[in-house]
Amino acid sequence: MNIFEQRESNVRSYCRSFPAIFHRAKGSIVYSQSGEEYIDFLAGAGALNYGHNNDYIKERVISYLEADAIAHGLDMHTSAKEKFLAKFSELILNPKNLDYHVQFCGPTGTNAVEAALKLARKVTNRTGIFSFMGAYHGMTLGSLSITGNTAIRSGISGTSNNVTFMPYPYGFMENLDTIGFIESVLNDVNSGVEKPAAIIFETVQAEGGIVVAPIEWMQKLRDLCDRHEILLICDDIQVGCGRSGPFFSFERAKIVPDMVVLSKSISGYGFPMSLLLIKPELDLWEPGEHTGTFRGNQLAFVGGTAALEYREISNLEEEVKVKEAFLKDFLNQEIASINEKIKIRGIGMIWGIDLANFGGTNLAKQITSRCFEMGLIAERVGRNDTVIKILPALTIELSTLKKGCLIIKQALDDCLQQSVSA
Ligand code: PMP
């Protein structure tokens, strides 16, 4: 039994799917301690949009450390925070005409979700939240209460407090007027559902199986929230920071949420950081009303500032378009054509191969295990983990992207043939 099995909690998970001891990584290649090479299609679950140890960002981080600059500063003003806020305004908020206050939250995504829920309740004096079936927002109690996966919530009390799950335009609901349904619930005095403080949504349900919300649906959602004076919160933790193409994933619908939660790749280097963007008129916090020791990690500010610059200099948004086109073609032509039960969904550089029509969870699991044997890290998401998720760094070289996709194709072919002959 190794030290991990001996000492680490049973809760550990990714390490079970990818059984190696990882040691080094560069760009989109990860190396195990024993020297194996893996192409990374997981990218820290979206925390490594700029690849592992991106040189441009790394250099800034190293010089910051070497200068004995502030490593921890609570929420005091620091030069690192000043530079980050200035760069974020200059390169992201101002050109997009977005006026938000920035709240730095505890280190991880779920902390920003909690802050958003709390602020929405405070601002509106209402307690209810509408979330969507299939949603994923994190694992602390508030975030868990708005996460759709009932298996991970079962037996944990306090997770259903005043939360109503509404249908997301997916599967059976895809052809239903889901916004019309929400509207009728709000208008029906006998619906049994009170008007919520906020509706929280993902523009692409990532953990939910790579389900991309239609533009018109998002626009109708914004309009519904306006008419009913409900706050609209966009959880852009996984698909923000350029994952879908533009910096924010809601930009494609030309809507402006009242609050936005960001984390994962905002620090550029895989450092923990999460933040909540708040329309200024909603920023009704009293000083210190939502506090915490680790709010705004200084290295994350440095990494995040460099990442925003790198995005500009390397024209990353254009690069994503090229790779999106490749992924779309490859998956539709080379993968979907293998069997009509295979469904492909995605946008930008987040794509899913949905194998739910084969039943059970086995096939997707077999394929991702086979991929790992062949040197590719890819995880499974969606209902019963039947969707293979393709989430490479945005900076991945096209040749590496192709190589990784060919591994998936080979693994899929192998496993389907096995299942036919079994
Ligand atoms: N929201 C979304 C959309 C996510 O994908 C995640 C993480 N997978 C979270 C919230 C929670 O973030 P964290 O794991 O950093 O708490």
Side-chain angles (χ1 to χ4, degrees):
M1 201 190 274
N2 64 36
I3 189 72
F4 304 105
E5 285 158 15
Q6 206 182 322
R7 279 286 165 233
E8 198 179 354
S9 161
N10 290 331
V11 79
R12 63 194 190 277
S13 70
Y14 289 111
C15 54
R16 298 178 193 271
S17 307
F18 310 112
I21 298 181
F22 297 102
H23 180 56
R24 216 163 55 79
K26 192 74 186 164
S28 289
I29 307 291
V30 182
Y31 302 88
S32 74
Q33 201 165 257
S34 49
E36 279 96 357
E37 258 185 58
Y38 299 91
I39 295 175
D40 189 359
F41 271 16
L42 176 55
L48 293 165
N49 281 5
Y50 306 95
H52 292 267
N53 294 306
N54 179 299
D55 284 325
Y56 187 89
I57 307 173
K58 184 170 82 176
E59 197 202 308
R60 294 293 187 79
V61 171
I62 289 175
S63 35
Y64 187 82
L65 283 171
E66 278 183 340
D68 279 342
I70 300 284
H72 180 270
L74 296 167
D75 74 351
M76 285 188 261
H77 292 166
T78 62
S79 51
K81 190 199 278 189
E82 184 179 39
K83 287 192 181 115
F84 175 78
L85 283 171
K87 194 58 76 184
F88 190 60
S89 306
E90 176 201 327
L91 295 182
I92 305 294
L93 296 181
N94 297 347
K96 297 178 191 300
N97 253 328
L98 292 169
D99 187 14
Y100 285 122
H101 282 183
V102 181
Q103 177 183 358
F104 295 107
C105 304
T108 195
T110 194
N111 299 127
V113 175
E114 296 285 349
L117 297 181
K118 193 168 159 187
L119 184 60
R121 286 172 165 144
K122 177 183 159 80
V123 167
T124 59
N125 230 346
R126 290 177 227 138
T127 53
I129 303 288
F130 284 4
S131 183
F132 288 98
M133 297 172 186
Y136 185 90
H137 296 292
M139 286 281 154
T140 50
L141 276 186
S143 306
L144 195 58
S145 75
I146 51 168
T147 288
N149 185 337
T150 43
I152 54 173
R153 296 173 22 179
S154 66
I156 299 166
S157 63
T159 52
S160 302
N161 249 342
N162 261 313
V163 175
T164 310
F165 285 92
M166 289 294 169
Y168 197 73
Y170 169 66
F172 171 73
M173 268 81 80
E174 209 163 345
N175 300 318
L176 291 183
D177 177 7
T178 52
I179 301 291
F181 174 75
I182 302 174
E183 182 98 53
S184 70
V185 168
L186 290 169
N187 288 336
D188 179 0
V189 288
N190 273 20
S191 70
V193 181
E194 285 168 25
K195 179 153 120 173
I199 301 184
I200 184 162
F201 80 113
E202 296 157 272
T203 67
V204 180
Q205 286 191 338
E207 301 305 312
I210 324 295
V211 184
V212 183
I215 286 177
E216 202 194 358
W217 183 87
M218 292 189 272
Q219 291 169 340
K220 283 185 177 167
L221 183 64
R222 176 67 275 184
D223 178 56
L224 173 132
C225 287
D226 284 341
R227 281 184 292 102
H228 290 271
E229 295 182 328
I230 296 167
L231 299 178
L232 183 62
I233 305 171
C234 178
D235 181 342
D236 230 6
I237 287 176
Q238 186 155 165
V239 296
C241 299
R243 175 60 58 184
S244 77
F247 187 82
F248 295 109
S249 68
F250 55 80
E251 287 179 57
R252 73 179 192 279
K254 299 189 170 57
I255 59 166
V256 180
D258 299 302
M259 295 187 211
V260 182
V261 260
L262 278 182
S263 184
K264 295 207 192 256
S265 277
I266 187 67
S267 76
Y269 208 71
F271 296 136
M273 170 145 98
S274 83
L275 51 86
L276 174 62
L277 304 179
I278 311 164
K279 279 192 178 165
E281 65 273 22
L282 300 175
D283 188 5
L284 300 185
W285 290 120
E286 295 295 331
E289 194 180 355
H290 190 83
T291 176
T293 308
F294 293 104
R295 281 173 304 134
N297 173 330
Q298 305 298 314
L299 285 185
F301 289 143
V302 177
T305 308
L308 293 174
E309 285 172 19
Y310 177 81
R311 222 184 105 70
E312 281 291 290
I313 298 165
S314 60
N315 214 354
L316 202 53
E317 206 164 316
E318 286 307 307
E319 239 188 78
V320 168
K321 283 186 194 152
V322 174
K323 291 167 197 169
E324 174 185 41
F326 167 77
L327 281 168
K328 191 174 177 181
D329 283 356
F330 185 91
L331 295 173
N332 283 305
Q333 285 162 25
E334 304 282 330
I335 301 283
S337 59
I338 295 174
N339 189 305
E340 62 187 17
K341 287 185 187 169
I342 300 173
K343 299 287 170 240
I344 304 295
R345 291 186 299 271
I347 188 168
M349 287 188 68
I350 177 163
W351 287 80
I353 303 171
D354 189 337
L355 303 170
N357 288 333
F358 291 90
T361 58
N362 272 351
L363 184 60
K365 191 171 180 185
Q366 278 165 14
I367 293 168
T368 49
S369 301
R370 181 88 189 96
C371 283
F372 189 64
E373 285 164 15
M374 291 197 284
L376 176 81
I377 297 171
E379 73 158 332
R380 294 170 296 130
V381 291
R383 271 79 171 171
N384 303 312
D385 283 341
T386 47
V387 181
I388 298 172
K389 176 159 104 171
I390 299 174
L391 194 83
L394 309 184
T395 53
I396 191 170
E397 285 174 3
L398 203 51
S399 56
T400 312
L401 185 64
K402 282 182 189 163
K403 209 168 149 191
C405 286
L406 286 171
I407 292 178
I408 295 183
K409 182 174 157 88
Q410 181 67 53
L412 202 126
D413 270 337
D414 291 353
C415 295
L416 272 179
Q417 256 167 38
Q418 257 173 29
S419 72
V420 170
S421 57

